[in-house]
Each structure stands twice: as structure tokens, then as C-alpha cells.
Amino acid sequence: IELRDADSALDYLASQVCGPSSQFLSAGRPLCGLRVHGVAGVTHISELLSRSHPTEVRAILVHYLGLLAAGTFTAPMSALSPLTPHLLESGDSGLVTVLWQELSADVRAEVFNRLFTDLHTLMKRQRLTETFYKAVLQMIIELVELQIDGVRVFARFLLQMENWNYNTEVPVLFERLSFLPAFLCLSPFASESFEVAEELFPVVDNLSPEEVLMSHRVIHTALDVARDRQYQLLYSLLREPQCRPEVLRLLWRCCRLGSSRGQMQFDESSALSEGFLLNLQATLCKLAAKIPLDKVDRAFLLRPDCPFPIKDDDARLMANAGEVAAWRGELGTEAASFNTQGFFLAAYAHHIGLIATLRKHKRRLRNLREAERILDSGEQAQNADRIRTFLNSQKRAKLCDQAAIYHESLLRDAMFYYDQLADWLLSLLQYGETQQCKELRSLPEFFLEDMCELLVLVIEFQPGYFKQTPVPRCFRLVIAALSHPYPLVRNPHLVSKLVEILFYLDPTVQPRMEAQFHDLVMQQWSLDGLVTSLLQFYVEVESTGSSSEFYDKFTIRYHLATIFHSLWATHLHREQFRRQSQNPVFVRFVNVLINDATYLLDESLGCLKRIREIQDLADSGFQGCTAEQQGELRQELNNNERQVKSYLTLSLKTVEMFNYLTQELPRAFMNGELVERLATMLNYNLKQLCGSKCNTLKVRSPDKYGWEPRSMLSNFITIYLNLAVQPEFQEAIVNDERSYSESLLPQAIERIRRAGIRSEMDLQVLERLRERTDEIANARRQVDLDYDNAPDEFMDEMMFTLMSDPVELPTGQILDRATIRRHLLNSATNPYSKMPMSESDLKELPELRNRIAAWKAERDAERRGGARGEPMQH
């Protein structure tokens, strides 16, 4: 019978199977309407097909359903296949099996191409605040897991589709057109799902913490459900052995095309989306959790055929590009196992996923603070409306960022992975000495840096995680990297990240981490080398390689000073400080302390004086100042207020270090190159705090800046008291020509007594110090008079002071050894040629030294003779 009408044809076929009383809905409607009415117990088409009926009729019906699903009769190719909504509603896997088994190859390919294309299209349209995405994800999981004759035929079929791994090098096109990314693209970010952001955060100002938490929970619940299904999908694809290589190839391509997210600057519009990469990371993290570490190939990243997106000249822990290239040439190609590839895929997914998002979020916060500052200051009043609009959009984006980042299950899984990574790295550390273990030396720096970023985040947001184990392996790795006898990291910026982790574990910073901190610092590696390494780094951190390194070094040293204070409280570590005080590194360490204290205190007091001046001008109504000048003064006041708080915090921490170190290790500060610089710094600041101009440091609301002059003065007096009995220190106080005068200590004692800052016993010690310095000053005046006419050849060419131990530089200049030593403490260069130089390059001048000593002895003898009444020889 020739039937031209599709509806009639379907009704006819149904009547042949079930009788004339049954009928189908119009074939133009969704296929889920193709259910048999009037036949008891029949709900799925697959059940209808399983009933006993003539073979010819069944074959015609199956073929007709295939043509209908392929869109042969009515549906345009741009519309959904009738099979798609039917399967989403009914889950009729039996029909899928029948169609796969009984349709011809060309019709079958058309049917399932349309079905998977429909699912791909539907998934791209889904939002987190809807629920339909669950059905779409569940449908494709069921299809991929469906086995026909023991084979996951649809997993294999997917990989044959033209858009499985779309051929383009443009990341955004790859994500939009490739098949799998669509199922990983559910996003909480405002820039990628603006409707979700507006729905959950319709207003952004005056939100209570409870309201924010409620909206975040909505996002977290949806993401948890989606990521569980995304993991099932990827796991099902990887379980099919024939699919695994292609799936891994696609995942590596995702990492390579997403590599721009790991950079500081990139084109946001053409990059892979944050939502996709974060979901990819969460999925790969779940896969990596089951990987046995002993199955991970140590040499994978060095193999010539390694798909990991890294170049030979990219930053490594210790190796350089030449070493990496040489080691790569020693290895042959070897097919990497899934365990190895999955382990390293997760590492890179974190780098371009959570870590990249976290860094972008920090940049957004800085931009927000700057925009708010500009709006409050009125600097750009003409653009105020535009700035407010920008602020609103950025605040909403910030709330979405926080929902994505501060996600408990995401952070928990990420920490579990990095604990695995730390365990693997520790095994490499034990596998061989650091300088010999090429797999460890050649490891990309970002492995360790990303771990540090995550640790700081979790310590601040979710410290309860670390109560699961006494000492997480991540922390063990941090201590190993900081205190191992062979360097593990050469980049000072990365070392500073490790120090930052230890800083955040310090009980004075995070009291809840006290147990972990104590366990870590009592590890044998810590006891053997932590103090030594940190002292060395304190000296070397002058340069971090960043544009803001001058200011970064003070923050890093603040972290180190905090750690030193806690280590000092431990007897075993204090003994390490004692031992190190006999070594050259400690001399350099004290020299840096003096440099920092000098700079920070000078800047702090300078800012306070300028704040006082502007406050006095403001009290007078800025008389004589134009409106423009008033604006500039207010801006200058804001800058000084912001700076002085930071400077004072850092300087107080530095002075506190002087307090306990000079108390226990006073002789370590009596080195000839150090003691005079220390005395000069102390005298200058004592004069600032107690001299005639100390009132210029009085500012309104000093607590606002952390300015406590009484406490600062007390700290300086403590240092004087700790060193008061040292003869070298007494001499150095008087040698200071810049700030010392015979009135300095009396003024300080009088002010301290009036303020009641120190006890009477302390004041008596200061009085004895004053008496001793007066004696030295009187004797010094006579000596200076006696040495006043020294021959020019006896004078230091740089300082023009009388030498006692002359040495000759490679460039021919003759300086006193103390002078050049002071220079070498700060810079290992020749001060005249700027070429590298050490003390071993200096030439001894014994003949000149003896002549100077003889001349001084002669002058001393003449002075003593004059004192006995004998005539002076001139």
C-alpha cells in the first residue's frame, strides 16, 4: 500500500500491531507522544516493538521510526529530532538498542548524529539555576554506558562524530563547537552566565552574610550535582579501552588551548571559559584521586613525546633549558599509562582552572578597591556615574567568583590531589639527592607555586581541613623545600611563597594551626636546617625578580621575622640561632636588619611628620591654597597615611627582632663592620623620639596608623640596655658623628623617667652607659686632636679617615679594611668599577699598616708625655 501521509502511515503500522483501536499522535509532534493508547501495560515504544507481531510489520515499523527520528518526513534538520524529547522524558533505552541493532548503517548514523547533536545543543543552553541540565547529562551518561553485545557502542560512536574534537586553534571556537566541552560548561561566573548572576544577586549593596551564603549554596548544590554527572560521563568514556586514547588526546588539547589562562595577560574573549576549565579540573581531580602513585612515570615530563604543554625554557625548580634539553635527549619515547597521564592532567587543570581563577579574583579585588578609592576621593567627579556602574558589575562578579572559589567540595578535592602531588614529590626527594634527581630539578615551578596558592586559600577559608591529619603532606613538602641541605628551589619568588605558607601556619597569625606548626618545625629536617635556610633567604631576598621587588622584600622579611619569633621560643631552634651567630651568614643577616630598620624607621617618621604638617594646614582651612592644591594635599595625606601604617608594622617587627637577639646574642652584634652602623641607627632614632623636635611626630588618631611612640621608644631602650656593657658598643655610640651629642642620653633618660616607660633599675643602667660614653667622648676629643695632622697616605681614600688596617683594591684604591667590609656586606662589588669582588680579592699592605701603627704609637706617646708634664714634640 502506498501511503504518502506520515500520520496515516504510522496509524496504519500501529493498527497492524495492536489493532484498529490504537492510534499514535501526529508524527509532527514530539516522539514522546508516540505511545500506544488502549493497550494495557504498554508505555514505551520499545515495549510495543517487543510484542508478538508479523516480522515484516515489525521491520517496517522499526524502519519507519528510524526515518522519522532522522527527520526524513517532516522535521527540518535545524529542529530537534523527535527521538530526543522522547528519550529525555521516558529513558527508553530499549528503543535505542532496537534502532542501533536493526537500522541500516546510514540511517543509524543519521539518527544518532541528530540525537547527540541535539543533546550537545541543549546542554549549551543550560544554566545552573535550571534543572533540565540534569536530565541532559543523565541521558548522555546512560547512552555512553549502554552496552550492546558487550560493547559501549555509543562511546565509540561519539568519537567518530565530526565535532568530537573540532579542528581549530582558536580556544573559544574549540569550546563552542567540540562535543565534550558543552557538557562541562555550566558556569557560575557573571561574565559567562549573566542571567544566573542577576537572578542570585539582583542587588549587590548591603547584602547580609546570610543572603550571600544562601545564594552561594544554590550555586554549590547545582555545581556538585553537575560535576558528579560530568565525572560519570568522562569516567564512562575512559572505561572503554578503544576510546581512552582519543579521550586523553582531547583532554590534553583542552589543557593546551587553555594554557593562556595560566598567564598574567591574555585575551579574555578568545580564551576557554573559566566555568569549563573549573569543571574540567573538578572532574580530572576526581579521576586522579584513584591513581596509585607508584604507577606514575617519574620521567614523563622529560620524554620527547610528552603532551604536557610546557617548553624546555619554561621556569623549572632548579634546571635550566640546556639541562632539560639534554635530559630529554637521553630518553626514548614510551607510551604513557592512563595513571601517569591522568595524574599530570590534573596538575595542569588546576593551574588553568582554580589557580587562574583565584589570581584573576585577586586582580578584581584590587581594581574594586582602586575604583572605590577614586570615587570616594572625587578625583574623577565627571566620571562618577560610569565608575558606579563599573563598581556594581564588578561587585556582582566578585560574589560569583567567591561562589566558584570558596566551594567546600572543590577545595577539599583539590587539597586531596595536592597532598598526592606532595607525596609524589617527597618520594622524588628521597629517591636521590636534589642536585642529581633530574625529574625533580626539571619539574615546572608552577607545580609548587600553585600548591602554595591553594594552601594559603584553604588555611584562610577552610582551616578545619587540616585537622584530618596531624601533618598534611603538603606542609611536609614546604618544610623539606625550605630546609633540605640541597636547594630544591632557586627562584626567590617561589621561596617567598613557601615562606608565606609557614607564616600563615604560625600560631601568632593563625592560632588554630598551632599544632600543625609545632609538628612541622620539630621535624628532623626543620631542626637540622630550617633556621640556617631562612637566615640565608632573609639576606638574599633583596631581589625577587618582580617589578615591585623593592617593596616585596619587606613583606617577605616581615613573614620571616614572624617565623623567627616563634622559632626562637623553641629551645632546639634557639640553639640553631646561637650556632649560626658564629657564621658569616649571621653577620650579613644583622647587616640587613640594620639596613631595613634604618630605611623603614626613616620612612615612617618622615611620613608622620608630613601627616602632621598637612593636618595643621587642614586645621587652618588650607589658607593660601588653591582648590587644586588642596586636592593634591589631601591626596598626599591619603598616600602618607596608607604608607605609614605599612612602614610602622614592618619596622616594629624588625626592632622586636633586635630586642631578643641582642639580649641572647650580644657579641654577634659587636663585629667591627656592624656595631658602628647599629649605634648610628639607634642614636638617630633616639634623637627623633626624644629630641627637641619630637613633637613633630604627634598626629591625630595615632592608633589609626599603629603609631605608639611610647612602645617604640621602649623597644629602642631595650636594645641599648642589652648592649650597654659591651665596650665596642660604648665606643660606637660616641663614634657616631651624625646624631650623638653629650645631651642625647640625658634627654632620653629624662623623658623616659617623666613618661614612666622603664623601671628605675633600667634607668640606672642607662645612667652608667651615659657616664661611660662621656668618658670615651672626652678621651676621643684628645685623640682626634693628636691624629688631626695625619699624612694623606694614611687616610682612607673613600671616607678620608685615618686607617688602621689598609688594603688595596684590584683597581688600585687604598681603603681601610673596615670601610670595604661594610661595603661588601651590602654589595659584593668593587665600589669603583662595579665589578664582582670579595674580601679575598683585597691586597694586604703590611708595610703601610706598620707605618700607620708606628705613627699612631708615636703620637700616643707624645700625648702621654704631655699628660705627665713633659714637653710635647712637634
Side-chain angles (χ1 to χ4, degrees):
I1 303 173
E2 293 185 6
L3 298 172
R4 295 184 176 85
D5 182 76
D7 294 346
S8 302
L10 195 54
D11 287 340
Y12 171 77
L13 292 174
S15 68
Q16 297 302 306
V17 178
C18 305
S21 62
S22 59
Q23 58 182 348
F24 288 93
L25 297 179
S26 169
R29 297 185 183 182
L31 195 58
C32 58
L34 296 180
R35 298 194 179 173
V36 181
H37 299 274
V39 181
V42 178
T43 58
H44 289 174
I45 297 177
S46 58
E47 294 182 45
L48 170 64
L49 296 177
S50 66
R51 295 214 164 211
S52 176
H53 50 70
T55 303
E56 296 84 355
V57 173
R58 185 182 186 283
I60 293 172
L61 182 55
V62 169
H63 185 64
Y64 180 82
L65 291 173
L67 295 176
L68 187 64
T72 303
F73 296 118
T74 56
M77 293 304 295
S78 59
L80 290 179
S81 162
L83 185 60
T84 304
H86 170 70
L87 293 179
L88 287 171
E89 181 178 331
S90 68
D92 191 357
S93 59
L95 175 61
V96 174
T97 302
V98 170
L99 293 176
W100 180 270
Q101 291 176 324
E102 301 187 26
L103 289 177
S104 62
D106 55 341
V107 175
R108 180 174 62 193
E110 185 64 32
V111 167
F112 291 107
N113 259 313
R114 289 200 67 197
L115 172 62
F116 285 117
T117 300
D118 288 349
L119 294 176
H120 179 261
T121 302
L122 288 171
M123 195 64 202
K124 287 196 293 185
R125 299 172 182 170
Q126 301 309 305
R127 299 200 300 264
L128 274 176
T129 49
E130 300 172 342
T131 58
F132 188 58
Y133 70 86
K134 301 176 187 178
V136 179
L137 282 170
Q138 190 60 40
M139 183 71 259
I140 193 166
I141 290 169
E142 291 175 2
L143 289 171
V144 169
E145 290 184 341
L146 181 64
Q147 295 188 44
I148 300 177
D149 298 329
V151 177
R152 292 182 178 82
V153 294
F154 292 110
R156 296 184 181 183
F157 181 84
L158 278 180
L159 271 63
Q160 304 303 317
M161 294 180 62
E162 289 185 1
N163 68 333
W164 163 253
N165 191 350
Y166 192 79
N167 185 22
T168 178
E169 290 301 309
V170 181
V172 67
L173 291 180
F174 166 80
E175 180 180 333
R176 290 175 182 172
L177 300 178
S178 292
F179 185 82
L180 187 61
F183 297 89
L184 299 171
C185 281
L186 287 170
S187 176
F189 296 101
S191 59
E192 298 165 1
S193 188
F194 185 71
E195 297 87 352
V196 172
E198 277 207 320
E199 182 177 343
L200 293 177
F201 304 106
V203 295
V204 293
D205 291 321
N206 302 318
L207 283 175
S208 68
E210 292 76 17
E211 291 173 315
V212 173
L213 182 60
M214 187 177 300
S215 295
H216 282 182
R217 282 177 176 168
V218 171
I219 293 175
H220 293 166
T221 301
L223 284 173
D224 285 338
V225 171
R227 286 169 180 168
D228 282 343
R229 284 169 167 76
Q230 289 163 353
Y231 163 73
Q232 293 175 34
L233 172 60
L234 193 57
Y235 181 67
S236 298
L237 287 168
L238 290 166
R239 285 178 66 191
E240 182 62 26
Q242 291 191 12
C243 296
R244 190 174 301 154
E246 284 300 321
V247 175
L248 288 171
R249 189 174 293 112
L250 175 70
L251 295 175
W252 282 119
R253 189 152 183 250
C254 291
C255 289
R256 182 172 61 81
L257 292 176
S259 60
S260 62
R261 284 278 175 192
Q263 302 168 4
M264 289 296 294
Q265 295 182 346
F266 61 93
D267 183 2
E268 183 85 29
S269 62
S270 66
L272 294 182
S273 68
E274 285 184 285
F276 167 60
L277 292 176
L278 209 56
N279 292 330
L280 179 66
Q281 173 213 309
T283 304
L284 291 174
C285 202
K286 293 177 185 293
L287 288 171
K290 299 180 179 181
I291 292 174
L293 297 182
D294 59 343
K295 302 296 184 183
V296 176
D297 180 8
R298 288 197 308 267
F300 174 72
L301 295 180
L302 287 173
R303 297 198 180 281
D305 57 340
C306 174
F308 197 89
I310 190 170
K311 302 173 184 176
D312 287 353
D313 57 352
D314 285 344
R316 313 291 179 130
L317 290 184
M318 288 297 294
N320 56 43
E323 290 174 319
V324 172
W327 292 336
R328 196 182 298 281
E330 296 172 2
L331 295 171
T333 60
E334 181 178 312
S337 66
F338 167 73
N339 290 323
T340 296
Q341 296 194 57
F343 184 75
F344 287 102
L345 272 167
Y348 203 81
H350 280 84
H351 181 60
I352 60 178
L354 176 60
I355 304 303
T357 294
L358 177 59
R359 290 171 180 162
K360 180 182 175 184
H361 178 60
K362 290 178 179 178
R363 293 194 295 271
R364 191 191 305 281
L365 293 180
R366 287 195 295 269
N367 293 337
L368 268 171
R369 288 193 295 269
E370 181 61 18
E372 288 173 340
R373 186 195 65 78
I374 292 173
L375 195 62
D376 293 341
S377 67
E379 289 180 24
Q380 297 187 23
Q382 69 277 14
N383 296 322
D385 291 340
R386 187 163 57 86
I387 294 174
R388 289 190 188 93
T389 302
F390 170 80
L391 275 173
N392 285 335
S393 67
Q394 290 302 296
K395 286 178 181 178
R396 182 175 286 112
K398 180 192 74 172
L399 292 169
C400 292
D401 288 353
Q402 290 172 339
I405 295 168
Y406 303 135
H407 187 176
E408 185 174 347
S409 62
L410 178 73
L411 294 181
R412 183 182 62 247
D413 290 348
M415 274 306 309
F416 184 83
Y417 171 75
Y418 275 108
D419 251 4
Q420 285 181 295
L421 179 60
D423 207 13
W424 184 75
L425 291 175
L426 285 169
S427 71
L428 289 184
L429 197 59
Q430 295 165 357
Y431 166 71
E433 302 294 2
T434 309
Q435 75 272 27
Q436 297 173 350
C437 185
K438 58 189 178 185
E439 295 90 355
L440 186 59
R441 288 171 58 84
S442 62
L443 200 72
E445 278 185 358
F446 72 76
F447 274 53
L448 207 53
E449 186 173 4
D450 291 353
M451 181 187 297
C452 292
E453 296 265 11
L454 180 66
L455 283 171
V456 171
L457 176 66
V458 176
I459 289 171
E460 290 181 328
F461 172 70
Q462 202 177 8
Y465 170 85
F466 299 112
K467 294 182 180 179
Q468 299 173 10
T469 55
V471 181
R473 289 161 287 180
C474 287
F475 293 155
R476 291 182 186 274
L477 179 64
V478 169
I479 286 294
L482 286 174
S483 55
H484 197 273
Y486 298 102
L488 177 60
V489 181
R490 66 176 176 178
N491 184 348
H493 173 73
L494 183 51
V495 179
S496 72
K497 292 285 186 182
L498 298 170
V499 169
E500 186 180 14
I501 297 300
L502 201 54
F503 167 77
Y504 279 111
L505 290 175
D506 192 288
T508 62
V509 179
Q510 281 278 6
R512 292 175 292 184
M513 307 302 293
E514 182 175 5
Q516 282 81 3
F517 181 84
H518 182 266
D519 287 346
L520 280 173
V521 299
M522 297 307 291
Q523 299 286 320
Q524 193 58 50
W525 267 342
S526 299
L527 295 174
D528 291 342
L530 184 58
V531 169
T532 304
S533 297
L534 294 184
L535 286 173
Q536 185 72 35
F537 185 57
Y538 194 101
V539 173
E540 294 175 349
V541 79
E542 286 290 334
S543 175
T544 60
S546 62
S547 58
S548 57
E549 62 183 20
F550 179 78
Y551 300 100
D552 290 343
K553 70 177 181 181
F554 293 117
T555 301
I556 297 167
R557 286 175 178 160
Y558 176 81
H559 292 164
L560 287 166
T562 303
I563 297 166
F564 285 153
H565 188 271
S566 295
L567 293 178
W568 186 260
T570 306
H571 172 71
L572 292 175
H573 285 291
R574 190 178 299 192
E575 286 302 311
Q576 284 289 340
F577 278 103
R578 289 185 187 280
R579 283 194 285 272
Q580 288 302 316
S581 68
Q582 309 300 318
N583 296 334
V585 68
F586 199 83
V587 174
R588 296 178 63 204
F589 165 68
V590 173
N591 182 67
V592 171
L593 274 186
I594 296 171
N595 289 344
D596 285 357
T598 301
Y599 175 81
L600 291 169
L601 288 164
D602 199 39
E603 290 296 313
S604 298
L605 301 182
C607 286
L608 287 168
K609 290 177 182 178
R610 186 56 180 157
I611 288 171
R612 171 64 185 270
E613 291 173 2
I614 299 176
Q615 286 178 344
D616 289 344
L617 278 173
D619 290 342
S620 68
F622 292 106
Q623 289 184 2
C625 297
T626 65
E628 182 179 355
Q629 290 172 330
Q630 291 181 30
E632 292 174 353
L633 286 169
R634 289 192 179 94
Q635 180 62 37
E636 185 182 355
L637 178 63
N638 291 334
N639 292 339
N640 279 291
E641 287 180 335
R642 188 167 57 251
Q643 289 176 352
V644 75
K645 188 173 182 179
S646 174
Y647 285 139
L648 282 171
T649 301
L650 296 172
S651 59
L652 280 171
K653 185 65 69 174
T654 304
V655 173
E656 286 174 4
M657 259 200 299
F658 275 113
N659 285 351
Y660 61 79
L661 289 173
T662 54
Q663 181 180 14
E664 295 281 339
L665 309 171
R667 294 305 303 170
F669 292 81
M670 295 303 107
N671 181 288
E673 292 78 44
L674 298 176
V675 65
E676 292 197 3
R677 298 190 64 240
L678 175 60
T680 300
M681 182 269 291
L682 293 173
N683 289 347
Y684 173 76
N685 287 288
L686 190 64
K687 184 178 179 180
Q688 294 289 309
L689 294 169
C690 298
S692 58
K693 297 182 179 180
C694 64
N695 288 335
T696 60
L697 300 176
K698 290 184 178 180
V699 295
R700 287 194 294 274
S701 305
D703 294 344
K704 175 182 177 182
Y705 317 118
W707 174 227
E708 299 177 5
R710 289 166 57 91
S711 175
M712 179 71 80
L713 178 58
S714 180
N715 281 327
F716 277 109
I717 294 303
T718 297
I719 303 172
Y720 277 99
L721 293 172
N722 290 342
L723 302 176
V725 298
Q726 305 297 325
E728 298 91 339
F729 182 63
Q730 297 166 356
E731 293 271 353
I733 289 176
V734 179
N735 288 345
D736 172 26
E737 298 179 356
R738 177 188 181 190
S739 302
Y740 174 75
S741 68
E742 292 186 8
S743 64
L744 176 64
L745 287 175
Q747 283 181 346
I749 292 170
E750 179 60 26
R751 183 172 289 274
I752 292 167
R753 180 175 279 116
R754 287 202 312 267
I757 294 174
R758 304 301 295 243
S759 68
E760 190 60 35
M761 185 178 296
D762 289 343
L763 291 174
Q764 291 175 9
V765 175
L766 286 177
E767 284 285 0
R768 289 194 291 273
L769 177 62
R770 180 194 62 78
E771 293 170 0
R772 180 62 186 136
T773 55
D774 285 349
E775 294 172 3
I776 295 172
N778 291 331
R780 180 62 49 80
R781 277 191 288 270
Q782 182 60 51
V783 170
D784 290 344
L785 183 62
D786 293 343
Y787 294 163
D788 190 42
N789 295 319
D792 287 349
E793 64 173 324
F794 293 173
M795 306 300 285
D796 183 298
E797 294 188 27
M798 179 180 289
M799 306 300 296
F800 206 70
T801 54
L802 181 62
M803 296 184 289
S804 59
D805 186 7
V807 291
E808 184 176 346
L809 275 58
T811 47
Q813 292 81 9
I814 297 176
L815 306 179
D816 195 49
R817 188 183 298 275
T819 301
I820 191 60
R821 274 182 170 176
R822 281 195 295 271
H823 170 79
L824 291 175
L825 281 174
N826 295 308
S827 174
T829 61
N830 185 320
Y832 294 93
S833 68
K834 307 303 180 184
M835 297 298 292
M837 188 182 77
S838 65
E839 192 169 349
S840 62
D841 297 319
L842 303 176
K843 180 182 177 181
E844 302 281 346
L845 299 174
E847 188 272 335
L848 179 59
R849 181 172 62 244
N850 293 336
R851 287 198 291 124
I852 294 173
W855 182 84
K856 292 170 68 176
E858 180 183 350
R859 301 295 290 175
D860 292 343
E862 290 176 355
R863 183 177 69 253
R864 288 193 296 270
R868 292 194 298 268
E870 299 173 2
M872 296 286 288
Q873 300 295 323
H874 297 286

